[in-house]
Amino acid sequence: MNNAEMKPLTSKELDYLVDCISNESTLAKHCAATAAAITNPAVQQSLLGMMHKHEQHMDRLVQSLQQHQSLAVSPSH
C-alpha cells in the first residue's frame, strides 16, 4: 500500500502499535536473557531464533509507524 492510499492512524491505533512494539521488545529481551542462561545448545538456538523473530516483528511495526508519520496531522499554531 502506498502513502497515497493510507489513512492517518487513530490515537487508539497508535497506542496499540506502541504497546505491540514494547511487547515485542520485552519478548526479545527475555529470549536473549534466557538463551544466555541456558546450557543446552538446541534450546539456546531456538530461543535466539525466537529473539530474532521478535526483533523482526518490532522492526516491521516501527516501519509501519514511519510510513504513517507523513500522514500525521500537524497541530496548527
Side-chain angles (χ1 to χ4, degrees):
M1 180 179 285
N2 64 36
N3 283 355
E5 298 170 351
M6 291 192 296
K7 295 180 183 176
L9 296 172
T10 66
S11 62
K12 191 173 191 172
E13 290 168 329
L14 286 171
D15 288 343
Y16 179 73
L17 280 173
V18 169
D19 286 345
C20 288
I21 291 168
S22 176
N23 291 340
E24 292 294 341
S25 175
T26 300
L27 289 167
K29 288 175 186 173
H30 283 297
C31 287
T34 305
I38 295 291
T39 57
N40 182 319
V43 174
Q44 195 174 45
Q45 285 293 66
S46 179
L47 285 164
L48 291 174
M50 287 188 278
M51 179 194 75
H52 290 298
K53 277 292 184 191
H54 289 299
E55 288 173 341
Q56 289 172 352
H57 295 163
M58 192 171 51
D59 290 343
R60 195 176 298 162
L61 289 165
V62 169
Q63 287 173 1
S64 294
L65 277 178
Q66 289 171 340
Q67 287 176 341
H68 281 85
Q69 187 174 12
S70 63
L71 300 174
V73 179
S74 315
S76 40
H77 295 284

